[in-house]
Amino acid sequence: MSARLALVDCNNFYVSCERVFDPTLEGRPVVVLSNNDGCVVARSPEVKALRVPMGKPWYQLQDLARQHNIMALSSNYTLYADMSNRVMTILAGLAPRQEVYSIDECFLDLQGVPGEATRHGQTMRTTLHRLLGLPVCVGIGSTKTLAKLANHVAKKNPHYGGVFDFSCFSASEQTRLLGGIDVAEVWGVGPRTAEKLAFLGIRSVLDLQRTRPETLRKGFSILHKRMIAELNGQACLQLAEVTPPRRQIVSSRSFGMRVLERDDLLEAVTMHAALAGEKLRRQGSVAGALGVFMHTNPFRVQDPQYSGHLTLPLHPATDDTLCLARVARRGVTRLFRSGFAYHKAGVMLMELQERRQTTGTLFESRAEQTRSRALMEIMDAVNRQMGRGTLRVLGEGLEQRWRARANRRSPRYTTCLDELPIANA
């Protein structure tokens, strides 16, 4: 029996999460904006119909927004992450194996699942809509690339009912279908690759499927050749049930105002060090080096420009937020230059390794290690239960005037007690 893989993808995920808790947004053109309410990062189908591209600056859409009553919302990543966790938990119970691919999509192995794959795909859709109110589409194929492509077909063709399975169609029907899909829709084919393929006369998915791998030589990688095999039903990409730990962890964000003072930079970088430390402990790693960076706004050409980056060693490697914050602040002190309006700053953790594989140094105190581990465990436990920032480093500041603008953010309905939705009977 050939493999059966499903790619489940939430439709317009950020916008759909907002609509779950605010039904007045249904049928209305909605966009979700990036940090500082700058650019469009998510669009409802109604906005897509207006041909608003991803990444369009919001200030350039003011006339169109007034004309079509477009609703703009600040990104609410706390809400989206929690809804994503709920989606993935539900889907994990509907298949024996799962690979979480991104915040809004995952691969599922349907081998051993009783019944017809298409019907099981419909079960996934109805279950997620009933429990979470989120719309999804399901693509089913014998390889990851085909499953991803099948999901695209399901989204673009509503008459399939949100589920498309390549195995349900004859070879001639598949040929007709693939001949009408642009090669740029293949998983892993970016704009530049699509241009190079078009130069070779490969413009549709069918063209690529029928291409001999040896044709793709100069300018193409082994991954592009594997695409051809995957499109022909030969699995080259295996399901990864365990997400590999990150090799680097970055925490940064643009400021909500022009930052001129060193104290504001110290607060921001301390906060990013704390966020990076949480991620580091979550994956069971320690960092051997920490990078600090800051820069002005390159788009404000009328302003003096400055960009600084510094990497500092961590001896011994650590996951202790207090240590990370101390080193990060040292980096800010060395990098800061007065007379500049800073636009963004952040922290990068490098030389990551598993905590359990690290060995101590001659000068480390076992008592200090135990105290550090206990303190971090308590901090993480409290913040998980009560919300991020309940316990934090004082150096993060109290007012945080520099935080990114989010004047249009919806409540954190599922994770903050003060912002729980209210039902009026």
Side-chain angles (χ1 to χ4, degrees), residues 63-341:
D63 292 340
L64 190 68
R66 283 190 289 270
Q67 182 181 351
H68 295 279
N69 195 26
I70 298 176
M71 178 67 172
L73 298 169
S74 301
S75 47
N76 189 344
Y77 295 119
T78 303
L79 174 65
Y80 309 149
D82 185 68
M83 293 294 282
S84 173
N85 289 335
R86 295 168 189 247
V87 169
M88 300 310 166
T89 299
I90 292 169
L91 291 175
L94 296 175
R97 298 171 62 219
Q98 176 190 47
E99 176 189 336
V100 177
Y101 179 63
S102 69
I103 191 172
D104 61 350
E105 59 186 326
C106 72
F107 289 100
L108 296 171
D109 184 357
L110 301 184
Q111 287 288 78
V113 175
E116 186 187 16
T118 302
R119 185 174 302 172
H120 192 66
Q122 291 294 349
T123 298
M124 296 178 195
R125 295 186 75 242
T126 55
T127 300
L128 288 172
H129 197 270
R130 175 171 55 85
L131 296 179
L132 299 178
L134 293 173
V136 303
C137 283
V138 182
I140 301 170
S142 56
T143 68
K144 279 185 170 183
T145 302
L146 285 174
K148 188 88 169 170
L149 193 61
N151 188 279
H152 167 78
V153 175
K155 281 188 174 182
K156 297 298 181 182
N157 300 275
H159 58 273
Y160 289 126
V163 179
F164 182 82
D165 181 358
F166 273 111
S167 67
C168 295
F169 295 83
S170 66
S172 59
E173 289 173 319
Q174 290 187 32
T175 297
R176 177 185 58 80
L177 185 67
L178 296 179
I181 303 176
D182 192 284
V183 71
E185 299 300 336
V186 176
W187 187 30
V189 175
R192 289 186 179 180
T193 302
E195 288 181 7
K196 290 191 289 186
L197 290 172
F199 182 77
L200 298 175
I202 303 171
R203 293 180 172 82
S204 70
V205 178
L206 183 64
D207 293 336
L208 183 59
Q209 185 188 49
R210 292 178 170 177
T211 300
R212 296 172 62 88
E214 53 268 25
T215 303
L216 303 184
R217 291 182 178 175
K218 187 176 181 180
F220 296 92
S221 69
I222 186 66
L223 294 177
H224 296 128
K225 297 175 183 178
R226 288 176 181 172
M227 288 178 195
I228 299 175
E230 288 256 327
L231 287 173
N232 284 282
Q234 181 183 343
C236 299
L237 305 172
Q238 302 304 313
L239 204 68
E241 295 181 80
V242 179
T243 304
R246 303 179 191 181
R247 296 182 179 180
Q248 293 181 335
I249 293 178
V250 179
S251 179
S252 70
R253 189 157 293 180
S254 299
F255 299 127
M257 55 181 278
R258 299 170 74 201
V259 170
L260 302 170
E261 303 298 329
R262 188 186 69 166
D263 287 348
D264 289 328
L265 278 171
L266 285 168
E267 288 183 1
V269 167
T270 301
M271 184 197 72
H272 287 306
L275 289 171
E278 289 180 12
K279 296 177 183 178
L280 189 66
R281 293 190 294 276
R282 201 176 303 141
Q283 74 172 33
S285 299
V286 292
L290 180 148
V292 179
F293 56 90
M294 59 183 70
H295 61 78
T296 53
N297 189 344
F299 296 103
R300 290 184 59 87
V301 294
Q302 69 272 28
D303 292 348
Q305 297 294 316
Y306 170 71
S307 176
H309 182 276
L310 180 66
T311 300
L312 298 167
L314 296 168
H315 294 309
T318 184
D319 61 2
D320 188 306
T321 289
L322 298 180
C323 178
L324 297 175
R326 186 164 54 249
V327 174
R329 292 170 70 88
R330 192 186 311 150
V332 171
T333 301
R334 292 173 58 178
L335 287 174
F336 177 75
R337 301 288 185 273
S338 61
F340 295 96

Side-chain angles (χ1 to χ4, degrees), residues 10-31:
C10 300
N11 300 342
N12 314 301
F13 182 58
Y14 291 176
V15 172
S16 295
C17 288
E18 300 287 356
R19 285 176 166 175
V20 168
F21 298 97
D22 187 356
T24 64
L25 298 176
E26 285 290 346
R28 181 178 177 181
V30 179
V31 296

